[in-house]
Amino acid sequence: MPIPQYLAMTAAEMEGSAVLPHQMAWMACHFSSSGNGLSNLPKWLPAGSALILDDSTPIHDHDPERIAAELGQCIQHLQCVGLLLDFQRPDEGQAREVAEYLCETLPIPVIVSDAYAEGLDCGVFISPVPPDEAMASRLTRWQGREIWLDTTMEGLEIILTEDGAKSTPLPPWERREGGLEDKHLHCHYQISLDENSAVFTLWRTAEDVAAQLAEAEALGVTAAVGLYQEFGSPLPGAEEG
């Protein structure tokens, strides 16, 4: 059975959804820009949800003990199953100190983005594997750790000319139909040719991600996180336990 996929939702998406996904993650929490605590901690979540803390607001002299206390109260009250630290500023030393303190202090699994995870005794949140990369190559260095996978569906356009290859991400709203399936990379692709170039367009469908998760489980991945706005509901065959 495929690993669970938590669907990350904003407060507005929660309020506007008549039926919440069986497994969800709150993605609106960040460091306060005007104080020393956190902003947008949830007041209610379904039991068994995950909590995401991001660094969209850069950390600046925040007290790790206060951050841990606020998160600890929220986690205990809402019965969260894990805390995901979606930190994307690897050069920010204070954020790493907070991550290390939370890993040592909180009573639930703490999962840290792969840019920060080296040297920490915690789980790893793997950034999205682009559709031109084999998943096994990304996961090898993290074997033996608890691994969560970001399944945000990122497309890619690769342009080949006599000067070499250039890769450009597809806009997140751009979805393709048809194409050929690559079962090794778990993606679909199209090829267009002219006199001077070849363009490869790669993208993932929900079915591709479901196949990706099946391989991820065999490679030791524990869980996945996708955007509610992309998936809207769990993938076919996703675990409901």
Side-chain angles (χ1 to χ4, degrees):
M1 182 178 295
I3 59 178
Q5 184 195 38
Y6 292 86
L7 297 186
M9 303 181 73
T10 64
E13 288 170 339
M14 281 189 62
E15 293 173 359
S17 177
V19 179
L20 294 177
H22 180 72
Q23 288 150 328
M24 67 157 292
W26 174 271
M27 63 177 294
C29 184
H30 54 83
F31 298 111
S32 172
S33 60
S34 59
N36 195 18
L38 298 175
S39 294
N40 293 336
L41 281 170
K43 294 180 172 57
W44 177 85
L45 290 175
S49 297
L51 179 63
I52 300 174
L53 171 63
D54 66 53
D55 61 352
S56 56
T57 299
I59 187 170
H60 180 67
D61 294 333
H62 282 69
D63 179 9
E65 293 186 9
R66 175 170 176 174
I67 298 298
E70 292 184 4
L71 287 170
Q73 292 174 4
C74 179
I75 287 166
Q76 182 178 12
H77 175 65
L78 300 179
Q79 301 179 50
C80 296
V81 296
L83 172 67
L84 195 158
L85 302 181
D86 186 16
F87 291 174
Q88 300 299 325
R89 302 173 187 269
D91 296 328
E92 177 53 72
Q94 290 185 17
R96 182 175 178 82
E97 292 175 6
V98 169
E100 184 173 7
Y101 187 81
L102 296 177
C103 291
E104 296 173 349
T105 304
L106 295 179
I108 64 169
V110 178
I111 317 299
V112 179
S113 57
D114 47 10
Y116 279 82
E118 190 70 46
L120 296 181
D121 184 16
C122 64
V124 184
F125 183 46
I126 302 295
S127 52
V129 179
D132 64 337
E133 180 180 342
M135 185 164 49
S137 63
R138 177 71 66 88
L139 299 181
T140 299
R141 64 177 296 198
W142 305 113
Q143 293 300 307
R145 304 270 292 264
E146 180 175 359
I147 301 173
W148 288 37
L149 179 67
D150 186 339
T151 54
T152 301
M153 289 195 286
E154 296 187 344
L156 189 67
E157 185 176 78
I158 303 174
I159 302 176
L160 297 179
T161 67
E162 61 181 12
D163 296 324
K166 178 181 179 181
S167 297
T168 305
L170 290 179
W173 60 85
E174 186 171 329
R175 291 284 179 262
R176 302 295 179 98
E177 295 182 357
L180 302 173
E181 181 182 7
D182 188 314
K183 294 186 177 181
H184 176 64
L185 295 174
H186 307 302
C187 71
H188 280 68
Y189 65 94
Q190 292 175 334
I191 304 173
S192 62
L193 303 173
D194 62 26
E195 292 184 359
N196 301 311
S197 67
V199 179
F200 294 79
T201 305
L202 301 89
W203 71 95
R204 287 197 172 102
T205 65
E207 289 73 23
D208 291 327
V209 176
Q212 185 186 30
L213 294 189
E215 181 186 356
E217 182 181 30
L219 292 171
V221 175
T222 304
V225 179
L227 294 175
Y228 176 80
Q229 65 191 47
E230 288 188 334
F231 295 99
S233 61
L235 294 170
E239 183 178 328
E240 295 185 357

